[in-house]
């Protein structure tokens, strides 16, 4: 007879508060990200040119601040730094309507950008601080789904506000953002770190410096592989609209339809897909590699579509099908890749490790516009070919790296635990 069954995954203390807080903050982000230049132009009264220059400069300064954020996580703990960043973002958006001069806007934008750019590093570190094993994968998937749903809700909310109050409604959305970040911080304050065997939070252990990160070749290789995949993440927002308008000569509405499908799938089935992958017992390296291969399949399909160039109806159907494949790749890769990076980072220097890893996303986001436009000017299919090769290379690197990464990073559930959980048949 069967005497063993599946063990339920342990819940994280304060998990619901963490997820609800992330969802609320995502609503705030969705209220201004789609309208960034217009938002800050109307809130501050400055010209579009000045706003653009300030946002670019402060964004670059935020990237330079990320290593310091990683050091702060290792010194004070991810939860405390997370709360500080929420407070800074809340104060920044509360002050934006009063920053009518260039120096005032630059000062508020700089402080807010430092918090915004560092937040993903701290959020990933917080997942490592409050969860262990498969719970990290589950939190990664849940947070991503809630962030997509929240950003979509925020975009709809600000559209309603503007319909009621016109461009003056941007002031209300700025204060709405401040409130959202403040509420998120209050909720996250209820989350408690996992304590080690001695009862001391792992963040209190003596930290090491960035030299330890630079000597960890497997982790640096993991970061490089993620850079190749991160270029694919940037494709939907940067390359996709240009490709539709310049190469396929399609209407701009196709871009909106693609974004809607992507957002709806991420919010609707993200947790289900990640749960299926997690329960399959697949290694994180191979799950992430599968996500990269799905990216490669979607990019290859774009090359085929760009070669055939069928009629408008067939193009619409094909594009939406490609977006579905692309989104599945995102849903498979993101939780496994995120948990892999968190678990591969030694606890005393997790902040520094994840700050280094996050640079792969930041660098890909910064390079994508110039890289894609340069390749697109040669041939509309060329950027997709480069992305497909990069995604396949990332998948190959992930599989090769699994023997060099810690076992607790590669496996969501250790092989010994998997073996003990299998059904055992007793002889009569």
């Amino acid at each position: 007879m069967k005497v063993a069954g599946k063990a339920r995954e342990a819940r994280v203390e304060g998990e619901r508060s963490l997820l609800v807080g992330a969802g609320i903050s995502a609503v705030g982000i969705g209220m201004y990200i789609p309208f960034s230049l217009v938002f800050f132009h109307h809130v501050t009264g400055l010209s579009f040119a000045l706003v653009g220059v300030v946002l670019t400069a402060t964004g670059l300064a935020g990237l330079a601040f990320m290593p310091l954020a990683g050091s702060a996580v290792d010194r004070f703990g991810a939860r405390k730094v997370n709360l500080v960043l929420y407070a800074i973002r809340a104060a920044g958006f509360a002050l934006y309507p009063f920053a009518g001069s260039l120096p005032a806007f630059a000062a508020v934008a700089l402080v807010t950008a430092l918090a915004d750019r560092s937040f993903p590093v701290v959020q990933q570190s917080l997942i490592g601080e409050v969860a262990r094993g498969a719970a990290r994968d589950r939190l990664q998937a849940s947070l991503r789904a809630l962030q997509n749903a929240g950003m979509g809700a925020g975009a709809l909310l600000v559209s309603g506000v503007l319909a009621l109050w016109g461009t003056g409604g941007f002031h209300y959305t700025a204060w709405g953002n401040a409130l959202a970040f403040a509420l998120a911080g209050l909720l996250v304050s209820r989350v408690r770190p996992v304590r080690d065997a001695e009862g001391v939070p792992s963040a209190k252990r003596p930290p090491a410096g960035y030299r330890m990160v630079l000597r960890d070749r497997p982790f640096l290789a993991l970061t490089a592989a993620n850079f190749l995949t991160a270029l694919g993440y940037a494709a939907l927002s940067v390359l996709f609209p240009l490709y539709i308008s310049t190469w396929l000569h399609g209407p701009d509405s196709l871009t909106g339809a693609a974004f809607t499908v992507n957002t709806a799938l991420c919010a609707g089935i993200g947790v289900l897909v990640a749960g299926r992958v997690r329960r399959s017992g697949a290694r994180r390296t191979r799950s992430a590699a599968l996500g990269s291969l799905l990216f490669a399949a979607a990019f290859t399909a774009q090359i085929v579509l760009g070669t055939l160039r069928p009629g408008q109806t067939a193009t619409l159907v094909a594009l939406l099908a490609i977006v579905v494949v692309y989104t599945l790749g995102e849903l498979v890769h993101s939780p496994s890749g995120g948990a892999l990076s968190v678990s591969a980072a030694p606890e005393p220097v997790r902040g520094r490790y994840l700050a280094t890893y996050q640079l792969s996303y930041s660098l890909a986001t910064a390079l994508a516009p110039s890289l894609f436009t340069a390749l697109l000017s040669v041939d509309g299919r060329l950027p997709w070919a480069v992305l497909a090769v990069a995604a396949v290379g990332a998948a190959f690197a992930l599989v090769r790296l699994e023997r060099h990464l810690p076992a607790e990073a590669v496996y969501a559930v250790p092989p010994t635990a998997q073996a003990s959980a299998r059904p055992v048949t007793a002889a009569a």
Side-chain angles (χ1 to χ4, degrees):
M1 60 180 178
K2 297 179 180 181
V3 296
K6 289 185 178 180
R8 294 188 63 183
E9 295 175 353
R11 310 300 293 183
V12 172
E13 184 178 355
E15 178 176 333
R16 183 174 298 178
S17 297
L18 173 63
L19 295 176
V20 174
I24 291 175
S25 67
V27 172
I29 294 170
M31 290 170 68
Y32 78 93
I33 284 292
F35 313 94
S36 295
L37 287 175
V38 179
F39 178 92
F40 290 113
H41 165 71
H42 286 291
V43 168
T44 63
L46 299 173
S47 69
F48 287 111
L50 282 176
V51 169
V53 170
V54 170
L55 291 181
T56 299
T58 55
L60 292 175
L63 290 180
F65 185 76
M66 284 169 56
L68 295 178
S71 299
V73 167
D74 295 333
R75 182 176 179 84
F76 303 107
R79 177 177 167 274
K80 291 181 180 179
V81 179
N82 184 280
L83 295 176
V84 170
L85 295 187
Y86 269 133
I88 292 174
R89 296 163 95 188
F93 278 94
L95 291 174
Y96 269 129
F98 306 103
S101 66
L102 179 59
F105 173 57
V108 176
L110 175 61
V111 175
T112 308
L114 298 182
D116 282 342
R117 294 289 183 173
S118 300
F119 190 78
V121 175
V122 180
Q123 182 85 313
Q124 290 292 95
S125 300
L126 182 62
I127 292 174
E129 191 173 281
V130 303
R132 293 288 185 268
R136 290 176 177 172
D137 303 69
R138 187 185 69 249
L139 280 181
Q140 292 278 357
S142 299
L143 285 170
R144 188 167 188 83
L146 283 170
Q147 286 165 354
N148 277 277
M151 289 181 66
L156 289 175
L157 181 60
V158 74
S159 298
V161 170
L162 295 178
L164 289 174
W165 290 289
T167 54
F170 278 120
H171 289 79
Y172 299 113
T173 60
W175 290 322
N177 287 332
L179 179 61
F181 290 132
L183 288 175
L186 289 174
L187 287 167
V188 172
S189 67
R190 302 173 62 182
V191 181
R192 294 292 177 264
V194 176
R195 297 178 179 269
D196 60 17
E198 290 77 25
V200 180
S202 59
K204 295 297 184 183
R205 297 173 184 172
Y210 274 101
R211 286 179 296 179
M212 180 177 177
V213 185
L214 297 177
R215 288 197 299 266
D216 193 336
R217 292 185 179 180
F219 190 85
L220 294 180
L222 179 65
T223 303
N226 190 68
F227 169 76
L228 298 177
T229 308
L231 287 172
Y233 276 93
L236 186 64
S237 59
V238 179
L239 177 57
F240 203 87
L242 293 174
Y243 178 71
I244 290 176
S245 61
T246 62
W247 187 257
L248 296 181
H249 302 292
D252 292 335
S253 59
L254 287 180
T255 300
F259 275 92
T260 301
V261 170
N262 176 262
T263 302
L265 289 176
C266 287
I269 67 170
V271 175
L272 295 176
V273 171
R276 177 62 63 89
V277 172
R278 188 171 65 252
R279 287 189 295 272
S280 72
R283 303 173 192 179
R284 287 172 174 148
T285 45
R286 303 198 177 186
S287 300
L290 175 59
S292 295
L293 291 178
L294 287 170
F295 272 177
F299 301 149
T300 303
Q302 291 282 29
I303 298 173
V304 174
L305 179 62
T307 301
L308 298 178
R309 295 187 182 184
Q312 185 170 335
T313 302
T315 298
L316 172 61
V317 174
L319 280 174
L320 294 182
I322 290 170
V323 170
V324 170
V325 176
Y326 172 91
T327 306
L328 287 175
E330 183 179 343
L331 297 179
V332 172
H333 175 274
S334 179
S336 299
L340 180 63
S341 64
V342 171
S343 302
E347 292 187 18
V349 284
R350 183 182 288 131
R352 290 172 170 88
Y353 265 69
L354 294 181
T356 303
Y357 186 82
Q358 187 63 32
L359 285 175
S360 62
Y361 281 111
S362 300
L363 184 59
T365 302
L367 292 178
S370 57
L371 175 63
F372 293 160
T373 51
L375 294 173
L376 196 65
S377 65
V378 178
D379 190 292
R381 296 160 294 186
L382 185 57
W384 298 114
V386 171
L387 287 174
V389 172
V392 172
F396 178 76
L398 285 167
V399 175
R400 288 291 301 272
L401 276 171
E402 65 183 28
R403 70 181 68 177
H404 303 290
L405 294 171
E408 60 270 20
V410 174
Y411 296 93
V413 179
T416 53
Q418 292 183 29
S420 63
R422 288 172 184 164
V424 178
T425 302

